[in-house]
Amino acid sequence: MFIQDVTPLGSLGLSALVAVLPLATVLVLLGVVRMKAHHAALIGLLVALVVGIAAFGMPIVQAVSGALSGAAFGLWPIMWIVVNALWIYRLTVRTGHFDVLRRSFGRISDDPRIQALIIAFCFGALMEALAGFGAPVAISAVMLVAVGFHPVKAAVVALVANTAPVAFGAMGTPVVTLAQVTGLPLEQVSSIVGRQTPLLALVVPLLLVIIVDGKRGLRDTWLPALVCGVAFGLVQFLASNYVSPQLADIGAALAGAAALVALPQTRRPVPEAVRVGLGGTTTTEAPPEDSRGDVVKAYLPYALIIVIFSLGQLPPIKALLDKATWKFHWFGLNVAAPNGKPVSGNTFSLPFLNTGGTLVLIAGIITAAVLAVSASGALSEWLATVKELRFAILTVTGVLALAYVMNLSGQTSTIGTFIAAAGAALAFLSPVLGWFGVAVSGSDTSANALFGALQVTAAHQTGLPADLLAAANSSGGVLGKMVSPQNLTIACVAANLPGEEGKLLRKVLPWSLGLLLVMCLIVLGQSSPVLSWMLP
């Protein structure tokens, strides 16, 4: 048995300084050297292994085994979800039904400010719920340009909109990962995150109409923006607390869109002066009319996912799906915490059926049949999706492997014990740690894997609620999404703005930091009697 030691070098400060080397390596390689993310993740993993073995005394076999365990979790269920979700998107593009979907959005309103809410906030949130990992920004930016937005404005709107749904994106993957690496109950983590990020949903739609049309946009369309945000936030809160974190963003996105469509003000014609002032393009050519059948088929994949996931949550069906789960002791691991108790990372759970990726795969198979995509065509699109995501797969597996090595060797516990000296101020700073992690990794899932256990360790040392700080890591992390180099690059590619990442960063950084300050104050309040009533 390997027993973790928080002071393997005799001094807590020196031990923490060495323990932070893997993280520092990744951050420097990404932020300063500007190395590709998958290369930085693999080099960081190598550093973590060296530190874990040489400085923390972890046996070589256990260190390597821990890395493999993390990589396996990165592949299943995380990338299993992403691959199948993006596969469905590729099927709709192949058959032309994605264009039908885009045109249907354009017919709801000709007001670009409303279109920003529908496409970037609501539909973007739906794509975040299904895939995450950059897909919402890419798809939203393309659609905004297609309906007439200036490319820079389309990219900025897509980036800022991709905030409120991120913590529950990719079928709840970030919070599922957070629960996995911290050992906290998923229901508890989801519940607290669901009492933080809905507050962002109240603000972000208002910011979007300001970004699109300045003060005039806020003055003219504050009501639709507020109604959309309230509907989104309310359903996200209810679903994450009382239904399922996997369905939180799906329900919230649909509720926000439904609230917008139901509001009479949404369908008012936009004055020509407003459209001209937005810097977009105006087309006089009427879009082709789509049949009702084609429109239904365009929405079918997302309706199928909602139905399948809802059925999967029914107790009898869920119990049946859970039977196809293999839970076992991971080979080569025998790790105990400093108190001598075995850590949860020794065991590995492999759900074959009751996992988001498999349920999405089922929806994709039905979608392919309904859209008349041949089996060979569907398979070729799936393989093309894997090829497209090959570097993202390397990055995610590398980061998760690094996180598992740091957690199992005791590096994370050492860093957490050291920063616990921040005391009560840790409640204010905990979202900043999540923001920083997402800013450099581009993924709330990766940031939770890296810092989730650290937050819990620090909370135990300071007497603060562990579940609150763990949730704050995820909620603060969502605000780093818009400034991450990966997302900035994705936005530039989607909006055809080659080499303009720096320009986009300057435009979105103030919004990111401003919202981060709000989240820090919320978490600080929740850790005190001021807002503690908000917690479950």
Side-chain angles (χ1 to χ4, degrees), residues 54-302:
F56 282 75
M58 191 176 193
I60 295 176
V61 172
Q62 295 212 46
V64 174
S65 182
L68 293 175
S69 176
F73 183 71
L75 290 173
W76 193 295
I78 295 177
M79 293 311 299
W80 180 236
I81 296 172
V82 178
V83 167
N84 289 324
L86 286 181
W87 172 57
I88 289 181
Y89 161 68
R90 290 181 66 100
L91 290 177
T92 62
V93 171
R94 179 189 180 102
T95 60
H97 287 89
F98 180 75
D99 290 331
V100 176
L101 187 67
R102 175 180 54 79
R103 287 192 292 268
S104 73
F105 287 147
R107 292 189 180 97
I108 294 174
S109 174
D110 66 343
D111 189 332
R113 298 163 299 190
I114 302 298
Q115 290 173 341
L117 296 176
I118 295 173
I119 295 173
F121 188 71
C122 297
F123 185 69
L126 185 60
M127 292 308 301
E128 179 68 38
L130 303 180
F133 296 92
V137 170
I139 297 171
S140 296
V142 168
M143 293 180 69
L144 288 172
V145 172
V147 297
F149 274 67
H150 186 277
V152 172
K153 191 157 288 187
V156 172
V157 168
L159 286 166
V160 175
N162 190 220
T163 49
V166 169
F168 297 103
M171 301 302 178
T173 300
V175 291
V176 170
T177 302
L178 184 62
Q180 175 83 8
V181 300
T182 60
L184 296 171
L186 174 59
E187 296 77 12
Q188 186 74 358
V189 172
S190 171
S191 178
I192 297 179
V193 174
R195 296 163 192 248
Q196 295 171 342
T197 57
L199 299 176
L200 296 176
L202 302 179
V203 179
V204 171
L206 297 171
L207 296 184
L208 294 180
V209 298
I210 293 174
I211 292 170
V212 173
D213 196 26
K215 293 181 180 178
R216 178 176 58 186
L218 183 62
R219 183 180 64 249
D220 292 350
T221 55
W222 68 268
L223 182 58
L226 186 61
V227 168
C228 178
V230 169
F232 184 101
L234 180 61
V235 172
Q236 189 185 59
F237 160 73
L238 293 174
S240 61
N241 276 265
Y242 305 111
V243 183
S244 165
Q246 286 87 349
L247 295 176
D249 279 349
I250 294 178
L254 295 176
L260 268 177
V261 172
L263 196 66
Q265 188 171 340
T266 297
R267 298 185 178 276
R268 292 178 185 173
V270 61
E272 186 61 25
V274 172
R275 182 173 292 280
V276 172
L278 293 178
T281 57
T282 303
T283 177
T284 56
E285 183 180 348
E289 287 293 329
D290 299 306
S291 68
R292 181 173 296 180
D294 282 337
V295 173
V296 170
K297 289 179 179 179
Y299 283 93
L300 179 66
Y302 312 105

